[in-house]
Amino acid sequence: MSEVPGSEQRLIAGRYRLLSPLGRGGMGVVWRARDEVLGREVAVKEVLAPPSLDSPEVRRLYARLEREAWAAARISHRNVVTVYDVATEDGRPWIVMELVRGLALSDVLDAEGPLGPQRTARIGAEVVAALRAAHEAGVLHRDVKPANVLLANDGRVVLTDFGIAMVAGTQTLTMTGEVVGSPEFLAPERALGRTPGPASDLWSLGVLLYAAVEGNSPFRQDTPLSTLRAVVDDALPPPRRAGPLTPVIEGLLRKDPAERWAGEEAEHQLRVVAAGGSVRAPLGRSEATTVTTGAPGMPPTPVMPFPAATPGGGTTATRGAEPSRHTGAVLLAGILVLLLALGGLVYALMRDSGQGGTGGSSSGGSPAPSVSHSSQASGTSGATSGNSSPSPSSSGPSPSPSASSSSPPAQSVEVNLQVVRGSYEGACPAPNAQAPSMVAVFTVGRTPVDVEYRWVTKDGQSSDPGWKTLSFPSGGPRTRQVAHTESPAQSGSNEVHVEVRQPVKVSSGPGAYKVTCKEETPTGGASSSYSPPGSSSPGG
């Protein structure tokens, strides 16, 4: 952050005065600068084209930089760096963006070593939120890595550097066969030259989570080429330090993008881990669609899905990862298993018919995940459970075909509370930016639904006690989060939780916080600034 001699005389576009370099990378230098018009500090990114590039390549590099600004400017989200302007100086574009004071995640890892699973999960959840906002705007980041994640001093986690981002509907700026991005963070489909999608960014996030908690990325080799080969062919080395984060990492690092966890599921599970909970082992789409059946008194027989038909009339295996020489054997085994299952089903139907159709069966199902600081309730009984699965159909007896077709599944609500800032010391009541703060993550079983909730403290004196309504529109996401602050007027320890009364009754686990009030001596007769008491704000 030291001043560079003579740099204070350099003015970009007659407005942005360069002060000192903040960092250097493969694409240039990021400067701390001052906007002389608005009188605020900003960050300005300068591209330094390598001398070996010819004129067409330099123009392509500048076009990529301009696209970074355009891509990032399309995204409005607290976890994405805000772009203010694109200035032109010396025939080159300069990106002007908000100055985020803090450290890159890569710097934190270099200084502190591997992070704990809960801290890593909290960072990962914020990065997923940024990626979901980018994907909704039609933007792929394509270079998610620790160096591009900033941990701000104010607690924000900010995704930056969309310099190689690809915007849906625009012409690619890379040459044929060129792979853009950091090899060890590239998804297998990108390493193979295939068209990337949102799942490619989520793979990169999985590598980031692995590197943050284990201290090294899973597929790094001695050379970029051998690294790409490992990304495509090598199995994921089992994480040793990830603990409850292991299922999330495994869900994101599936070679087949169709089997990879989606952004909504990844964000929800990361917030569960960040709050001290645990999640079930990941299931791919083929496993998730596997059904079981069998004759009464016999163990269930798995019925594997048929291979998917291709436009050319052939078939491809559902998992896609099996070698082609085993396709015939797998198909034959699948047909035999299917015939056995059909035989068991016919036997069961005949037996049920002989008993007047009164017989029933129940499915074993998978154990529900154990989640701390979260609760879920069924809309039929109003009972609460702290370790239930968000899916309303994941446990209990299997309904009859007529019952399942005539009535929708029972509504459910799960509330997971995470403390973002657990203590405050200073003048009371605390300003909202410094007061103890929490995030409640609401997950519903189905949409549309309106959730009525309120914040309740242990002493009954919440800063924001009234009932509120959080709407989940039809076809929208089933997970939303609400931020909340507590600004008591006196010192003490307390805790807050979320209480839901509609559509079911359920409460979250408590979030503890502590406030230490100190009197400030006014200077010049001026009184200290005052912010209104706590508030809540829903987020995506």
Side-chain angles (χ1 to χ4, degrees):
M1 294 294 293
S2 59
E3 300 290 334
V4 177
S7 65
E8 66 275 4
Q9 302 299 323
R10 190 172 185 185
L11 203 63
I12 302 300
R15 175 173 179 176
Y16 306 104
R17 190 174 301 278
L18 303 184
L19 300 178
S20 60
L22 294 174
R24 295 178 179 269
M27 294 183 63
V29 181
V30 178
W31 296 83
R32 181 171 67 94
R34 182 170 52 250
D35 184 345
E36 299 288 4
V37 175
L38 297 180
R40 65 180 176 184
E41 287 195 340
V42 294
V44 177
K45 183 171 183 179
E46 171 193 13
V47 163
L48 299 176
S52 59
L53 294 182
D54 56 25
S55 296
E57 290 174 325
V58 170
R59 288 194 296 269
R60 184 160 58 91
L61 183 64
Y62 293 163
R64 178 180 297 171
L65 181 67
E66 287 183 298
R67 186 171 67 174
E68 171 186 355
W70 180 46
R74 291 177 58 172
I75 309 164
S76 178
H77 196 275
R78 68 182 301 270
N79 297 119
V80 177
V81 67
T82 302
V83 174
Y84 295 139
D85 190 15
V86 180
T88 301
E89 184 77 13
D90 299 332
R92 296 182 294 154
W94 300 63
I95 294 181
V96 183
M97 63 194 92
E98 68 170 315
L99 179 62
V100 179
R101 299 186 182 277
L103 294 173
L105 176 58
S106 56
D107 295 333
V108 173
L109 294 175
D110 290 341
E112 302 181 13
L115 307 182
Q118 285 186 252
R119 185 180 179 189
T120 301
R122 190 189 76 82
I123 295 172
E126 301 300 302
V127 176
V128 176
L131 288 175
R132 292 180 63 191
H135 295 163
E136 289 175 1
V139 177
L140 302 182
H141 189 281
R142 301 207 300 173
D143 198 23
V144 178
K145 59 184 180 182
N148 289 336
V149 176
L150 302 180
L151 307 184
N153 294 341
D154 62 2
R156 292 169 62 205
V157 176
V158 182
L159 181 62
T160 185
D161 202 348
F162 284 76
I164 61 174
M166 183 176 71
V167 182
T170 63
Q171 182 181 6
T172 179
L173 298 178
T174 58
M175 295 180 295
T176 302
E178 179 184 5
V179 177
V180 181
S182 304
E184 63 193 284
F185 292 92
L186 283 182
E189 61 270 19
R190 290 194 57 209
L192 293 171
R194 297 170 183 166
T195 302
S200 303
D201 281 345
L202 293 172
W203 168 281
S204 301
L205 172 66
V207 178
L208 180 149
L209 296 174
Y210 188 105
V213 78
E214 297 292 326
N216 59 276
S217 61
F219 301 108
R220 180 189 297 171
Q221 304 293 324
D222 295 335
T223 65
L225 188 59
S226 60
T227 297
L228 292 177
R229 182 207 58 77
V231 167
V232 174
D233 295 331
D234 290 1
L236 174 69
R240 295 176 298 174
R241 299 168 45 92
L245 197 58
T246 300
V248 183
I249 293 175
E250 293 175 346
L252 292 173
L253 293 183
R254 289 180 174 267
K255 303 286 188 182
D256 184 355
E259 295 288 329
R260 222 166 282 157
W261 275 9
E264 180 181 357
E265 177 70 8
E267 181 180 355
H268 169 66
Q269 302 294 9
L270 283 169
R271 296 198 185 280
V272 169
V273 175
S278 59
V279 299
R280 81 168 71 227
L283 293 177
R285 291 186 183 177
S286 59
E287 290 100 324
T289 56
T290 299
V291 296
T292 58
T293 184
M298 298 179 63
T301 302
V303 181
M304 302 304 295
F306 278 117
T310 61
T315 60
T316 58
T318 304
R319 291 299 300 270
E322 295 294 331
S324 58
R325 64 178 178 271
H326 296 314
T327 302
V330 172
L331 181 59
L332 178 59
I335 293 175
L336 291 175
V337 171
L338 179 61
L339 291 175
L340 289 174
L342 289 176
L345 179 61
V346 170
Y347 175 82
L349 292 175
M350 292 177 63
R351 183 174 181 272
D352 286 346
S353 176
Q355 295 177 352
T358 58
S361 64
S362 62
S363 60
S366 301
S370 174
V371 181
S372 65
H373 296 314
S374 66
S375 298
Q376 181 187 11
S378 169
T380 57
S381 62
T384 63
S385 171
N387 60 350
S388 299
S389 168
S391 174
S393 58
S394 61
S395 62
S398 301
S400 64
S402 60
S404 61
S405 61
S406 61
S407 61
Q411 182 59 275
S412 63
V413 178
E414 179 183 332
V415 186
N416 177 35
L417 187 63
Q418 175 185 350
V419 177
V420 178
R421 188 167 44 248
S423 63
Y424 167 76
E425 183 174 333
C428 290
N432 284 344
Q434 303 173 26
S437 62
M438 304 83 189
V439 172
V441 180
F442 294 78
T443 301
V444 298
R446 53 188 170 86
T447 59
V449 66
D450 288 336
V451 176
E452 295 184 16
Y453 71 97
R454 67 177 178 181
W455 297 87
V456 182
T457 56
K458 188 175 181 180
D459 61 7
Q461 300 295 322
S462 173
S463 300
D464 192 17
W467 290 99
K468 299 164 186 62
T469 300
L470 186 63
S471 296
F472 292 78
S474 178
R478 294 188 298 110
T479 299
R480 292 194 64 186
Q481 62 183 24
V482 176
H484 175 75
T485 59
E486 285 288 339
S487 302
Q490 57 186 8
S491 300
S493 299
N494 206 337
E495 60 184 36
V496 65
H497 70 273
V498 177
E499 180 179 309
V500 175
R501 67 177 180 182
Q502 289 292 341
V504 293
K505 292 183 179 180
V506 62
S507 296
S508 73
Y513 63 92
K514 180 179 180 181
V515 172
T516 303
C517 298
K518 290 187 175 182
E519 293 185 2
E520 292 186 353
T521 304
T523 58
S527 59
S528 59
S529 60
Y530 172 79
S531 295
S535 61
S536 297
S537 60

